[in-house]
Amino acid sequence: MRNKCYLPKKFDELKTLPDEKLQFYWNIFYRYPLRGRKGKYRPLWYVIQCELYSCKLAEKYITRLDKYANNPEKYIQRAHKCKYNLAIGTILTKKYKGQIYQVTVKSEKAYEWGNTIYPNLTAIAQKITRGHVSGPKFWGLI
């Protein structure tokens, strides 16, 4: 650490710090100015944890954390968004090595093949091919 000082041991403690103290910690670890308080807790907390437990957090991860902290709802929706809006009851058909395979969409995360429910299309495609393959690519969705 650049300066020896007390570091908060809990995230709640960090959130209750006065603005001056938060600015002080920010200036120790970052080269760019602190704008706004709310979105900077997580990047600051990660770097404090790294200091407390003697690990190194690369600058590229701090940049990514900053980006996520500015609009977390946007990135949470993206992370959990289903790319393929398949209607329930849709039947996907694939001819593979002369045999026809059919999968029925039961829900967003449930697909039926051979009277068994699978969590995703990749699991089914890997069972059929007995190898690593992208499920959406195998079923022709990409």
Side-chain angles (χ1 to χ4, degrees):
M1 186 162 84
R2 293 159 190 93
N3 297 329
K4 291 202 175 212
C5 65
Y6 171 79
L7 293 174
K9 305 286 188 275
K10 295 188 178 197
F11 187 66
D12 291 334
E13 185 181 351
L14 178 69
K15 287 171 54 173
T16 59
L17 290 174
D19 289 340
E20 303 82 37
K21 196 70 171 169
L22 191 67
Q23 183 71 46
F24 170 75
Y25 286 128
W26 188 267
N27 292 337
I28 290 174
F29 296 111
Y30 294 102
R31 293 184 294 262
Y32 55 93
L34 173 66
R35 291 191 194 129
R37 182 182 173 101
K38 185 178 176 187
K40 302 303 180 186
Y41 287 127
R42 192 155 306 273
L44 188 56
W45 179 241
Y46 276 114
V47 77
I48 287 173
Q49 284 181 312
C50 285
E51 283 295 324
L52 290 173
Y53 300 108
S54 301
C55 61
K56 176 105 172 94
L57 187 62
E59 190 67 33
K60 69 178 182 178
Y61 298 118
I62 295 296
T63 305
R64 192 174 298 165
L65 286 168
D66 284 344
K67 184 175 82 170
Y68 296 152
N70 288 334
N71 193 355
E73 293 302 318
K74 173 183 170 186
Y75 293 100
I76 288 171
Q77 287 173 350
R78 247 190 227 168
H80 299 292
K81 182 180 176 186
C82 183
K83 295 177 186 175
Y84 314 103
N85 294 322
L86 299 173
I88 295 172
T90 301
I91 298 174
L92 301 173
T93 305
K94 171 74 175 184
K95 186 174 183 179
Y96 178 73
K97 291 190 176 181
Q99 195 170 359
I100 296 176
Y101 297 93
Q102 290 187 331
V103 171
T104 305
V105 178
K106 293 295 184 181
S107 72
E108 186 177 317
K109 294 187 178 187
Y111 304 90
E112 182 181 13
W113 174 66
N115 294 327
T116 306
I117 303 292
Y118 294 89
N120 54 45
L121 293 171
T122 300
I124 300 170
Q126 288 178 352
K127 283 267 191 189
I128 293 170
T129 62
R130 294 188 178 117
H132 295 286
V133 65
S134 164
K137 191 171 186 179
F138 178 82
W139 294 102
L141 299 176
I142 300 179

